[in-house]
Amino acid sequence: MNGNLRGVVPPLNQSERRDLRDSIRRRGVLVAVEYDPAGEIVDGFERVEIWEELRAAGHEIPPYPRVVRDLASDSDRRSYRREVNACRRHLTVEQRRRIIAEQLIDTPDHSNRQIADRLNVD
């Protein structure tokens, strides 16, 4: 399932990843990594990856905060991941369009307005 969710939003670019790495090295992971009840990551793949790399390199970083989200289906997990990342990241217009188009496919019973509200887009 992780691979399926990981591709829902584009990965951080080199500069964003470097900035996140520097932040985690100095302050630890500030935003909780989100899991589903089965223990699979829903959001926070890159935070965990960077945390693990830094720990392996000998940096003393505290354990990262964790939250469990009760998301019943793969569609719910993908939708949630889009929602939290659409408002968090500096995505290009094309990347936002892709996220919205994929959300429309996942939730065809929702109106465009409902999807825009959920993803915090116009």
Side-chain angles (χ1 to χ4, degrees):
M1 182 185 331
N2 278 355
N4 183 22
L5 287 176
R6 190 171 190 126
V8 169
V9 295
L12 296 174
N13 66 38
Q14 239 180 351
S15 174
E16 291 168 331
R17 189 172 173 88
R18 183 181 56 247
D19 290 347
L20 181 58
R21 181 181 174 86
D22 290 344
S23 174
I24 291 172
R25 184 180 43 76
R26 286 180 288 137
R27 297 185 292 255
V29 175
L30 301 177
V31 176
V33 175
E34 302 189 50
Y35 289 84
D36 67 13
E40 298 288 333
I41 295 175
V42 174
D43 187 61
F45 295 99
E46 290 178 292
R47 281 173 265 155
V48 170
E49 229 174 53
I50 292 168
W51 181 87
E52 289 174 347
E53 290 168 6
L54 289 168
R55 295 281 298 231
H59 294 277
E60 290 190 33
I61 302 169
Y64 54 85
R66 300 167 190 240
V67 173
V68 176
R69 298 280 176 214
D70 189 17
L71 301 165
S73 68
D74 285 342
S75 177
D76 289 342
R77 292 187 228 357
R78 287 190 304 271
S79 294
Y80 181 77
R81 184 152 162 74
R82 287 183 194 111
E83 181 180 344
V84 297
N85 282 280
C87 65
R88 183 185 299 154
R89 291 188 169 203
H90 302 287
L91 300 173
T92 66
V93 171
E94 193 55 43
Q95 289 169 327
R96 286 185 192 280
R97 282 186 184 138
R98 190 191 107 215
I99 287 172
I100 293 165
E102 290 172 355
Q103 185 63 42
L104 286 165
I105 292 167
D106 262 358
T107 54
D109 55 324
H110 292 121
S111 71
N112 289 355
R113 181 178 300 270
Q114 288 172 310
I115 291 172
D117 287 346
R118 182 165 192 177
L119 297 179
N120 198 28
V121 295
D122 292 337

